[in-house]
Amino acid sequence: MAIEIEQPSSVELSKVAVSETHGENSPYFAGWKAYDEDPYHESNNPSGVIQMGLAENQVSFDLLEEYSEQHSEAFTWGKGAPGFRENALFQDYHGLQSFREAMASFMEQIRGGRAKFDPDRVVLTAGATAANELLTFILADPGDALLVPTPYYPGFDRDLRWRTGVKIVPIHCDSSNNFQITPQALEAAYKEAEAMNTKVRGVLITNPSNPLGATIQRSVLEEILDFVTRKNIHLVSDEIYSGSAFSSSEFISIAEILESRKYKNSERIHIVYSLSKDLGLPGFRVGTIYSYNDKVVTTARRMSSFTLISSQTQHLLASMLSNKKFTENYIKTNRERLRKRYEMIIKGLKNAGIECLKGNAGLFCWMNLSPLLEEQTREGELVLWDSMLHEVKLNISPGSSCHCSEPGWFRVCFANMSEQTLEIALKRIHDFMQQRERQRKPISSQ
Amino acid sequence: MRLIVPLQGVVQGRGGLILGSLIPGALFYFLQFYWKRHRSLNPSSDPPSPSTSSSNLADLPRTSSRSNLSSRGSFGPGRVSSRGGLLAKADDSTYYIGLNKVREDPYHRTNNPNGIIQLGLSQNTLCLDLIEKWFLENLTDSIMGSDDGDLSISGIAAYKPFDGMTEMKVAMASFMSRVIGKAVSFDPSQILLTAGATPAIEILSFCLADHGNAFLVPTPYYPGFDRDIRSRTGVELIPVHCRSTDNFVFSITALDQAFNQARKRGLKVRAILICNPANPVGNILPRETLYDVLDFAREKNIHIICDEIYGGSIFGSEEFVSMAEILESEEVDKDRVHIIYGLSKDLSLPGFRAGVIYSYNDSVLAAAKKLTRFSSMSTLTQRLLISMLSDTRFTQEYFEINKRRVKEIYDSFVAGLEQLGIRCSESNAGLYCWADMSALIPTYSEKGELELWDKLLNIAKINVTPGSACHCIEPGWFRCCFATLSQEDIPVVIERIQKVAETCKSPS
């Protein structure tokens, strides 16, 4: 038998395939690798890495399980499975009418009925990741830009830019005003794009914000709306965490502002939503684009052929989300539980001498570790991040991976673990901070 | 610009009267279509009207100018990107127009007997009863998983690998081995799962070619490729024409010619895309041809994309040989071969969105894997399918019965067409037949073919796909999908075609 020698691949791949724009070699993802190699487990691996870099919602899982136990017929097509055949064949990119209606109604419920959603404007995609990419494909050409406020979700670098060839120009925000978006910052970003000879096609905001864990104030939303109208560009509002605001009244959707303006100039507004965070069902791959622009709706629908939601999944969720009793209870309970978790982690961090940005939404908090940095630089931040990962054994996300202009901030997720695990994580942080404190005291003072 | 000069002519009286009425008339005509198309640009409290694509023959040539009108004009919210525009344009193919028309007025034996009969969608409804039965018998386990026997959605709700759960890959690999591999087994580690074969082929295209590069595609080919492969990737499809005298199987000479012509045009060919079994012709590529394609690709140093989505839909006696089987015996150059598969055709589950990229190239797998995040399979569906695909007794029974039922309908349908003097090309696979209706077309041209298509759609009220939508070089061929018909439907279809056939044959 001949000895097989590995032949180097001589047939080429595309630029997209070899590009690094997927960003999976950045610290944000390197932490995941460390976790995968040594994952924490209560009994099997109590000294392993605790994953605090994944924004997943497990706090209300029991409510989903309860629903599935009590409503097994939602998982089927009823007795004798009528409608099964139709469902198995259904690949219409308009999506199941019943599901679109249920989704529109769920989005209304989350906003406390303060905004109305038309099921015929709901476009379905396999996740919000696909929704954001799809909108970018539709609203911009290669080489164009979207303005995105920093700090932002690291995945945007990949989702908005990789296959689309569209650029991101950051709207710089800083801690001086709690990282809120200002009109000056908007203008500066727009000018920066102009200076690069790049055409700006829109602004993309995440509200509630990831990684800040805070909702955007009404006045700021009004300013952003005025800005995009003045510049005649689009606005995408990723409201994926809308159901994760700790209290319903604190979250103001762009839809509410539009309604108050009687939908004037609304054809430039598009909302992205998903069930991955609020409902804790990321595996099901359910996202939507809600657009006030007919042409965008039609085009997005066509393009959604590349990312359709399984008809079986649509069928189940149509049932689940139109069950008002379930959704009302779920939304309310989920908010409450997230708020409690948030308070728990804030208190624990405070005891350890760590301050966080005041948050009111999301599955994470925005922690300020800048006092610990040896150097107030990105490198200094990464050194600290490395210690957190390999010494404290916590995977948290460094602000630099979110393009934060100030070093030392970290995003810490708190909803993807049990309370017990969170306690352990807080204890580790507490011990780490104490140790640091001890190291700083000169020996003679003992 | 071009309009202004004739108008000047109008003013100065040069040929003015004719141009003077023509230009405003044409302008008015274009504007009418523009308005009709963009009626609901402004949002209203009413939902946007469903896309009622005009399907009249007269509208077809206008399409390109319509899209131009819409893309010119102010930037800002009224405008979509060039890629959005490309997609809109692609949807104006007769293939999609026909599908849309059926949606508006679908035939139903009792509820809508005058509706349009769908012969344009390649789907198989002949064995859905078997799948339904399996589902009813395996309900609890299949949906909720038998982790602990309890009804639970734990284990599938959370984030799972975007390219599919390991158990799903294992189940799919085993299924593919049984259904299309026969002598060869598929390796789960070479599988990436996607939400249907449509994104599978697009993701692969993004990985193998840059914007402006090209793929060679033997004709006639599946009309969906124009839209699915070109719209967002910017990859061009270069047709490699095949003829009825060769039963539409491509020759290496033709591939070579097409490759060289592309090079002259400054186009870089990155891959050849073949469909086996073929769509729309329904023939199985001979072993020799597969070896030839490998040699050709090796010589030109390009990739091979082999779409085997109909690999399990064999109803004839000829044997289907997967590219995987060919590669088993070849020790080198597997790096350039990629296979596409899915459950939409062989298992009649297009709604569940189950597609496969199967590659022998680790770099391609690594890159494509990262792209699956944009088109992932739902974990809920994965759980159901893991159960179903692993049930070897069920799948064996299914394919046995399916083969029989498809053959029965195929035989009846082809016989019915023969009675009208319409012959079909020899086929052994797929859910369609490739019918030669050239005797019925008024002129032996694409125009003549489209006139017949229009008559069949609007008078006979049957939707078939004209060969021109598939880039067939010989006019008069039509793809007729029969696997959604029952035996009772066939005489109805034949009768309707006959009515139109008679008007075509009589001297005008």
Side-chain angles (χ1 to χ4, degrees):
Chain A
M1 180 97 151
I3 301 168
E4 275 204 67
I5 301 167
E6 182 104 11
Q7 302 291 329
S9 174
S10 57
V11 61
E12 282 175 47
L13 268 57
S14 67
K15 294 194 186 99
V16 163
V18 302
S19 143
E20 287 288 311
T21 315
H22 52 74
E24 288 189 19
N25 297 324
S26 74
Y28 179 72
F29 296 102
W32 291 44
K33 290 183 193 142
Y35 166 77
D36 284 336
E37 285 158 24
D38 181 21
Y40 169 83
H41 188 274
E42 212 172 56
S43 33
N44 301 350
N45 190 17
S47 62
V49 175
I50 298 180
Q51 173 67 284
M52 303 190 89
L54 176 58
E56 199 177 61
N57 183 2
Q58 292 178 11
V59 306
S60 305
F61 198 66
D62 58 318
L63 298 178
L64 290 174
E65 282 194 314
E66 196 184 285
Y67 175 86
S68 64
E69 276 162 35
Q70 291 171 357
H71 296 93
S72 58
E73 79 283 354
F75 287 80
T76 71
W77 284 264
K79 198 160 162 59
F84 172 84
R85 297 188 202 197
E86 218 176 48
N87 190 256
L89 294 174
F90 187 82
Q91 52 175 335
D92 184 350
Y93 57 41
H94 288 81
L96 276 180
Q97 173 82 12
S98 56
F99 179 52
R100 279 188 286 118
E101 283 170 4
M103 189 59 118
S105 130
F106 187 64
M107 286 169 74
E108 283 175 3
Q109 266 189 301
I110 286 177
R111 288 154 185 75
R114 297 185 299 270
K116 287 215 74 50
F117 289 93
D118 177 357
D120 287 326
R121 291 192 175 281
V122 172
V123 178
L124 303 173
T125 62
T129 298
N132 280 317
E133 196 206 29
L134 214 112
L135 270 176
T136 308
F137 265 120
I138 291 173
L139 303 179
D141 285 325
D144 291 345
L146 292 178
L147 306 183
V148 185
T150 67
Y152 62 76
Y153 163 54
F156 280 160
D157 285 331
R158 168 197 59 211
D159 299 344
L160 306 179
R161 299 184 320 162
W162 191 12
R163 289 198 291 193
T164 62
V166 171
K167 302 186 188 150
I168 294 178
V169 173
I171 301 166
H172 295 290
C173 304
D174 59 67
S175 58
S176 64
N177 69 343
N178 292 325
F179 296 97
Q180 287 181 86
I181 304 160
T182 64
Q184 296 80 3
L186 286 166
E187 281 292 344
Y190 193 89
K191 286 205 173 62
E192 190 187 319
E194 275 185 332
M196 296 191 298
N197 249 330
T198 298
K199 201 151 203 99
V200 175
R201 291 294 180 199
V203 173
L204 189 144
I205 59 175
T206 307
N207 178 27
S209 161
N210 174 10
L212 301 177
T215 56
I216 300 183
Q217 291 178 12
R218 180 181 289 271
S219 54
V220 178
L221 288 173
E222 302 264 12
E223 277 164 2
I224 297 173
L225 201 44
D226 291 337
F227 175 78
V228 299
T229 308
R230 238 183 5 257
K231 301 291 188 194
N232 194 20
I233 57 180
H234 294 272
L235 174 62
V236 176
S237 181
D238 184 350
E239 304 192 345
I240 196 177
Y241 293 102
S242 48
S244 304
F246 306 151
S247 100
S248 167
S249 54
E250 286 200 46
F251 167 66
I252 296 156
S253 165
I254 198 81
E256 293 174 53
I257 313 256
L258 290 180
E259 209 156 293
S260 68
R261 292 187 181 196
K262 306 232 188 314
Y263 297 109
K264 191 157 175 285
N265 284 309
S266 62
E267 69 277 4
R268 61 185 74 256
I269 314 296
H270 325 279
I271 298 175
V272 168
Y273 187 58
S274 154
L275 301 181
S276 299
K277 311 294 181 183
D278 293 345
L279 218 54
L281 295 172
F284 284 16
R285 311 314 302 142
V286 178
T288 92
I289 295 171
Y290 187 90
S291 175
Y292 295 88
N293 183 316
D294 292 1
K295 202 156 166 191
V296 172
V297 169
T298 309
T299 310
R301 265 218 187 102
R302 288 192 167 113
M303 221 181 259
S304 69
S305 319
F306 296 110
T307 184
L308 296 177
I309 302 179
S310 160
S311 55
Q312 175 206 22
T313 307
Q314 290 188 48
H315 172 83
L316 162 66
L317 292 171
S319 239
M320 192 191 274
L321 295 186
S322 54
N323 185 326
K324 290 268 165 66
K325 192 157 156 256
F326 166 76
T327 53
E328 226 175 84
N329 180 48
Y330 182 94
I331 293 171
K332 195 171 56 136
T333 312
N334 186 49
R335 287 198 203 284
E336 188 52 38
R337 289 181 183 178
L338 287 175
R339 190 181 55 78
K340 281 213 176 86
R341 276 295 174 100
Y342 172 78
E343 281 168 5
M344 180 180 161
I345 195 176
I346 292 301
K347 187 158 168 237
L349 290 175
K350 197 157 189 176
N351 286 344
I354 296 174
E355 293 293 328
C356 293
L357 182 78
K358 178 118 183 26
N360 62 355
L363 313 176
F364 32 74
C365 61
W366 190 234
M367 178 170 77
N368 185 7
L369 293 183
S370 56
L372 273 71
L373 296 190
E374 288 189 16
E375 282 176 28
Q376 291 295 325
T377 59
R378 184 175 181 270
E379 288 68 34
E381 178 185 285
L382 289 177
V383 165
L384 179 59
W385 169 77
D386 200 75
S387 309
M388 294 299 285
L389 184 59
H390 293 110
E391 291 170 33
V392 191
K393 303 283 214 73
L394 297 178
N395 178 35
I396 58 180
S397 311
S400 49
S401 64
C402 305
H403 300 273
C404 186
S405 47
E406 292 175 22
W409 291 86
F410 290 79
R411 187 192 77 168
V412 188
C413 298
F414 54 70
N416 61 315
M417 61 191 74
S418 66
E419 268 188 31
Q420 292 81 358
T421 309
L422 184 55
E423 290 284 7
I424 298 192
L426 287 169
K427 177 148 196 320
R428 288 187 189 180
I429 295 177
H430 193 261
D431 293 346
F432 172 73
M433 293 297 283
Q434 275 204 326
Q435 200 184 40
R436 281 237 158 176
E437 216 20 67
R438 270 196 299 262
Q439 281 171 354
R440 280 208 301 189
K441 286 195 180 125
I443 302 168
S444 59
S445 74
Q446 282 183 343
Chain B
M1 288 73 57
R2 262 181 282 141
L3 292 175
I4 294 174
V5 173
L7 280 172
Q8 277 184 335
V10 170
V11 168
Q12 291 162 10
R14 273 180 290 145
L17 204 61
I18 298 167
L19 289 172
S21 47
L22 257 185
I23 307 305
L27 200 63
F28 180 67
Y29 185 66
F30 283 136
L31 282 174
Q32 274 243 295
F33 275 94
Y34 179 63
W35 285 328
K36 192 166 151 202
R37 204 101 205 272
H38 304 281
R39 182 180 17 204
S40 45
L41 237 181
N42 294 317
S44 55
S45 49
D46 299 330
S49 40
S51 51
T52 50
S53 317
S54 40
S55 53
N56 293 325
L57 198 56
D59 296 326
L60 284 178
R62 312 274 180 252
T63 4
S64 51
S65 41
R66 260 217 302 272
S67 315
N68 283 340
L69 269 175
S70 59
S71 58
R72 246 190 283 138
S74 67
F75 296 108
R79 173 197 177 280
V80 292
S81 67
S82 55
R83 284 173 291 200
L86 274 175
L87 205 59
K89 206 163 143 185
D91 275 8
D92 284 332
S93 138
T94 48
Y95 174 64
Y96 292 105
I97 291 174
L99 290 180
N100 283 334
K101 252 229 144 159
V102 176
R103 196 181 288 131
E104 293 160 31
D105 181 22
Y107 168 80
H108 188 276
R109 215 167 294 140
T110 42
N111 300 350
N112 189 19
N114 293 321
I116 306 176
I117 302 182
Q118 177 70 287
L119 295 178
L121 191 57
S122 175
Q123 258 182 15
N124 182 359
T125 56
L126 302 174
C127 290
L128 276 175
D129 59 321
L130 300 177
I131 298 184
E132 190 180 65
K133 178 163 162 275
W134 180 92
F135 180 72
L136 287 170
E137 288 170 2
N138 297 274
L139 195 55
T140 314
D141 286 348
S142 69
I143 292 298
M144 309 310 263
S146 39
D147 300 301
D148 34 36
D150 293 330
L151 285 180
S152 162
I153 60 175
S154 70
I156 55 170
Y159 277 107
K160 293 290 175 207
F162 288 118
D163 57 325
M165 304 193 287
T166 309
E167 309 96 301
M168 181 68 218
K169 290 188 181 187
V170 167
M172 183 63 87
S174 152
F175 179 78
M176 285 170 74
S177 307
R178 277 174 275 135
V179 175
I180 64 175
K182 307 264 172 36
V184 92
S185 62
F186 286 85
D187 182 349
S189 70
Q190 289 173 240
I191 287 182
L192 300 175
L193 296 165
T194 57
T198 299
I201 212 163
E202 200 207 24
I203 287 172
L204 201 51
S205 304
F206 266 112
C207 291
L208 304 183
D210 296 325
H211 191 286
N213 291 162
F215 291 166
L216 298 180
V217 194
T219 70
Y221 63 74
Y222 163 55
F225 281 157
D226 285 331
R227 173 193 199 274
D228 296 345
I229 298 177
R230 295 186 321 178
S231 314
R232 305 195 300 183
T233 65
V235 172
E236 252 197 69
L237 298 184
I238 297 176
V240 180
H241 291 298
C242 307
R243 301 182 182 279
S244 51
T245 40
D246 302 316
N247 200 34
F248 296 102
V249 177
F250 56 87
S251 68
I252 299 303
T253 320
L255 287 182
D256 217 24
Q257 273 178 352
F259 186 89
N260 293 332
Q261 272 174 2
R263 209 177 20 196
K264 284 203 190 101
R265 282 168 58 196
L267 278 175
K268 189 163 181 204
V269 173
R270 300 303 290 266
I272 169 171
L273 167 61
I274 59 176
C275 229
N276 181 29
N279 177 9
V281 181
N283 53 348
I284 297 173
L285 295 182
R287 219 179 255 269
E288 270 313 303
T289 311
L290 295 176
Y291 278 115
D292 289 344
V293 167
L294 264 176
D295 286 338
F296 176 79
R298 193 176 297 141
E299 188 198 307
K300 307 295 184 195
N301 195 22
I302 59 177
H303 295 271
I304 301 172
I305 304 174
C306 200
D307 185 348
E308 300 192 345
I309 200 174
Y310 291 100
S313 299
I314 316 295
F315 55 79
S317 48
E318 225 177 275
E319 199 206 358
F320 168 72
V321 177
S322 164
M323 189 56 105
E325 203 183 309
I326 303 290
L327 288 179
E328 192 93 331
S329 50
E330 296 274 302
E331 274 311 313
V332 292
D333 261 12
K334 293 183 184 178
D335 267 0
R336 60 182 79 256
V337 179
H338 322 279
I339 297 173
I340 299 285
Y341 190 61
L343 301 181
S344 302
K345 313 294 178 184
D346 290 348
L347 214 53
S348 307
L349 298 172
F352 288 6
R353 314 313 301 150
V356 179
I357 296 173
Y358 190 82
S359 177
Y360 294 83
N361 187 319
D362 287 338
S363 309
V364 170
L365 284 173
K369 179 180 166 133
K370 298 185 178 87
L371 289 172
T372 56
R373 64 179 45 254
F374 298 110
S375 310
S376 281
M377 268 188 74
S378 171
T379 50
L380 181 69
T381 305
Q382 287 186 55
R383 174 168 277 166
L384 168 65
L385 291 174
I386 288 167
S387 224
M388 190 185 277
L389 299 187
S390 312
D391 189 340
T392 48
R393 194 192 51 84
F394 163 73
T395 56
Q396 189 174 4
E397 187 188 82
Y398 176 88
F399 282 102
E400 263 169 35
I401 297 178
N402 186 50
K403 181 170 178 165
R404 204 187 343 119
R405 290 184 185 175
V406 172
K407 180 90 173 56
E408 271 170 23
I409 300 287
Y410 169 79
D411 285 341
S412 299
F413 189 72
V414 168
L417 288 179
E418 279 211 13
Q419 280 174 5
L420 301 178
I422 298 170
R423 308 210 68 198
C424 293
S425 80
E426 197 188 305
S427 66
N428 280 277
L431 308 172
Y432 37 77
C433 60
W434 187 233
D436 183 1
M437 301 197 195
S438 53
L440 303 177
I441 60 181
T443 56
Y444 191 68
S445 62
E446 184 180 323
K447 184 165 177 287
E449 177 186 286
L450 290 177
E451 279 178 38
L452 177 59
W453 168 76
D454 189 73
K455 272 205 189 130
L456 289 169
L457 184 60
N458 291 307
I459 300 173
K461 302 197 92 183
I462 62 163
N463 177 38
V464 289
T465 306
S468 47
C470 310
H471 301 268
C472 185
I473 194 120
E474 295 176 17
W477 291 87
F478 287 80
R479 186 188 79 167
C480 310
C481 302
F482 57 76
T484 49
L485 300 174
S486 65
Q487 288 287 0
E488 298 88 61
D489 295 326
I490 296 180
V492 179
V493 173
I494 302 299
E495 200 189 300
R496 289 191 186 189
I497 300 177
Q498 186 174 32
K499 285 211 181 78
V500 164
E502 272 157 16
T503 67
C504 295
K505 281 176 181 158
S506 53
S508 41

